[in-house]
Amino acid sequence: MTRLLLPLEHDPRPAELHAEDALLHALKRLPRRVQQVFLLNRLDQQGFAAIAERLDLPLISIERHMNQALQTARAPGDALASIAGQWYVRLQSPQVTASERIDFRRWLDADPEHLRAFHETELRWRSLLAPARQLGHDGWYRQGRAALSLGGCSIAVGLGVAALVALGLLT
């Protein structure tokens, strides 16, 4: 009787590709606007101020969206990684103050784990490049407000039709 050396469900792809697939899946689950802000920054290398102006959003929204995108790559429940990610995004903002930079330096120097977490955040940021290229391969994110998903529009149209039917205007 012969035995199989590999289980039937064995996937020959390296673990690195599985990690990229997981990151891509996590990015796809983000709201469309968050994806758009992330891709404009990551792929087109636009700064926060340029993205804010292009999409007519406040800078704080851009920071929040970028933080949300970066957090997709961290382990759930890792509070230190979350804080490091927030610092990483804040330091890229044109609104960061000298006082905040000093606070960051104090935080970084307070514990060797902080430096490790920040370094891992930088590595996470780099790991998002390949999935970002896949997500934005067709350039949809460059289309301004039209880039928002049609799912929300479909829901709005459906609710509008339902309201008209309920009011008896459409029979």
Side-chain angles (χ1 to χ4, degrees), residues 135-146:
L135 182 62
H137 73 279
D138 59 358
W140 66 264
Y141 62 94
R142 293 184 183 113
Q143 298 172 3
R145 295 216 176 258

Side-chain angles (χ1 to χ4, degrees), residues 40 46-59 62 145:
L40 285 169
Q46 291 188 16
F48 289 12
I51 296 169
E53 184 178 329
R54 179 178 184 157
L55 301 179
D56 194 29
L57 293 172
L59 269 171
I62 303 302
R145 295 216 176 258

Side-chain angles (χ1 to χ4, degrees), residues 23-67:
L23 288 174
L24 178 61
H25 181 69
L27 289 172
K28 283 182 176 180
R29 287 194 335 248
L30 290 170
R32 198 75 161 166
R33 177 63 74 195
V34 174
Q35 292 176 26
Q36 184 179 28
V37 168
F38 168 70
L39 293 173
L40 285 169
N41 179 264
R42 192 70 180 109
L43 298 182
D44 292 359
Q45 299 172 346
Q46 291 188 16
F48 289 12
I51 296 169
E53 184 178 329
R54 179 178 184 157
L55 301 179
D56 194 29
L57 293 172
L59 269 171
I60 192 69
S61 293
I62 303 302
E63 282 186 51
R64 190 173 52 250
H65 292 336
M66 288 299 296
N67 190 45

Side-chain angles (χ1 to χ4, degrees), residues 99-166:
S99 176
E100 287 174 310
R101 290 184 187 278
I102 291 169
D103 288 344
F104 166 69
R105 191 69 221 183
R106 286 183 182 147
W107 176 81
L108 204 59
D109 293 339
D111 189 331
E113 286 300 305
H114 294 179
L115 179 61
R116 180 197 55 75
F118 194 77
H119 178 70
E120 287 177 3
T121 298
E122 290 176 314
L123 294 176
R124 269 199 325 271
W125 177 250
R126 291 183 193 148
S127 74
L128 290 172
L129 182 57
R133 285 182 178 143
Q134 286 181 282
L135 182 62
H137 73 279
D138 59 358
W140 66 264
Y141 62 94
R142 293 184 183 113
Q143 298 172 3
R145 295 216 176 258
L148 295 175
S149 69
L150 293 178
C153 294
S154 301
I155 292 170
V157 169
L159 289 174
V161 169
L164 290 174
V165 168

